[in-house]
Amino acid sequence: MAKTERPQRCVASSDGVTEHHFFVEPGQLSGAVVELTGDEAHHAARVLRVRRGEPITVADGTGCVAEAVVSRVGSTVEAEVRSVRTVPPPRPAITLYQAVTKGDKMDAVIEKAVEIGVLRIVPFLAERTIVRWDGSKSQRAADRWSAIARGAAKQSRSPWLTNVENVISSTGALAPREALVIALHESSSRRLRDLLPDDAPEAIGLVVGPEGGFDGGELRDLGPRGIDVAGLGERILRTETAGLVAATIVGYAYGSLG
C-alpha cells in the first residue's frame, strides 16, 4: 500500500549522491520489477551508464514514485522496486498561459517553469505575437516542448510530468479552468501578492502576454472573462521572465519554494 507524503523533489542515496530519475507510464509501478524502455532505457544505459546494483528513482508522472535498484542493463533496463510512495501535487497547481515567444525563448520558459513546479503550460498566440504559425510548425513545437518538459522533470526529480498543451489560436480562445486566474500587466496598480488568498487555492492560472504586451482590446476583455490583472512591481519584465517570476512568487507564498 503506497503511503502519502509531502511533495518531494530530490532523492539522495545514503552516500549523499543524488539518484538518477526516470519516468514510466502510469500503472507500471505496481509490480516487483519496473522496466525502462525506448528513450528512457537509452538515456539510462547509454548516456548515464547506470550499472547493476545502482539505486534509481522511477516516477509515473502522476505523483507515484518508486525507489528501485538496477538489476539488468541492456536494450531495456530493469530495476527491482524496493518501495513506492505517492506524492500529492502542490497546492495550488499552477498553470502558465504563455504567449508564444520568438526564437528559442519559449524552450527556456518551458524548461524553467517545469523546474519551479508549474504543472500545466498553455502556449497561445496574441495580437502582438511576433511568431507566425501553421499546423506543421505547431506540431513540431509541441513535440519539442513536450520533450523539454520531460527532461526538466527528470533533472528536477519531479514526481509529476508537466503537460504542455497545443498552441491556442488567440487570447480570446483561452478557456482557463482555474477559479483564480491572474494576467500580468504593468498597467495594474495591484500587485500579484495582493490577489493571492491567505489559504492556498486548489489551482492558479497565470497569463503572460507577448513581447509587445497585450493590446488594448485584449486587456479590456480579460475582466469580463473573470481574469484579474496584476503587476509584479516597478520593473518591466520580459515575457520570458514574467511568468517564471510570478510562478516563483506563488510557490514561495504557499510553501513549495523557498
Side-chain angles (χ1 to χ4, degrees):
M1 187 73 177
K3 61 181 180 179
T4 299
E5 298 182 353
R6 290 178 60 82
Q8 184 170 331
R9 285 287 176 182
C10 186
V11 177
S13 59
S14 58
D15 60 4
V17 177
T18 301
E19 298 166 0
H20 294 306
H21 189 69
F22 303 96
F23 282 99
V24 294
E25 294 298 316
Q28 294 186 359
L29 296 178
S30 58
V33 175
V34 61
E35 182 181 41
L36 305 181
T37 61
D39 291 342
E40 290 294 89
H42 175 81
H43 189 220
R46 304 303 178 191
V47 180
L48 299 176
R49 298 186 180 277
V50 299
R51 296 290 181 261
R52 289 182 59 187
E54 182 175 338
I56 61 173
T57 56
V58 185
D60 72 351
T62 66
C64 189
V65 184
E67 308 284 343
V69 176
V70 176
S71 56
R72 189 178 72 83
V73 179
S75 58
T76 63
V77 175
E78 293 182 357
E80 297 177 359
V81 175
R82 299 296 172 85
S83 65
V84 178
R85 67 183 189 274
T86 299
V87 183
R91 187 183 178 103
I94 301 173
T95 293
L96 176 61
Y97 297 90
Q98 173 70 53
V100 175
T101 62
K102 62 183 180 181
D104 59 359
K105 293 178 181 178
M106 195 71 181
D107 296 0
V109 169
I110 288 170
E111 179 182 72
K112 301 310 176 187
V114 172
E115 288 183 19
I116 61 179
V118 172
L119 289 188
R120 179 171 166 253
I121 300 172
V122 182
F124 68 95
L125 304 179
E127 288 295 326
R128 292 174 177 168
T129 295
I130 296 173
V131 183
R132 294 299 170 223
W133 291 78
D134 56 29
S136 61
K137 185 171 185 177
S138 181
Q139 186 58 56
R140 290 195 303 272
D143 293 342
R144 182 175 75 254
W145 293 338
S146 291
I148 289 171
R150 189 182 188 92
K154 290 170 67 174
Q155 184 277 328
S156 58
R157 275 67 179 176
S158 175
W160 314 278
L161 279 174
T162 297
N163 180 29
V164 183
E165 298 191 357
N166 292 329
V167 176
I168 303 298
S169 60
S170 68
T171 304
L174 290 177
R177 60 196 188 201
E178 299 79 19
L180 177 59
V181 184
I182 302 170
L184 305 175
H185 198 270
E186 67 273 11
S187 66
S188 177
S189 60
R190 297 181 298 178
R191 298 283 185 93
L192 172 62
R193 65 188 182 192
D194 298 330
L195 298 184
L196 299 179
D198 292 337
D199 295 328
E202 183 176 342
I204 287 180
L206 300 170
V207 185
V208 181
E211 279 90 347
F214 293 113
D215 77 359
E218 288 175 314
L219 201 57
R220 287 190 297 272
D221 183 52
L222 296 175
R225 297 173 60 199
I227 300 175
D228 290 311
V229 180
L232 293 173
E234 297 179 359
R235 296 179 179 272
I236 306 301
L237 303 181
R238 295 181 184 273
T239 181
E240 66 268 25
T241 307
L244 302 179
V245 170
T248 301
I249 291 171
V250 172
Y252 177 79
Y254 298 114
S256 64
L257 291 174

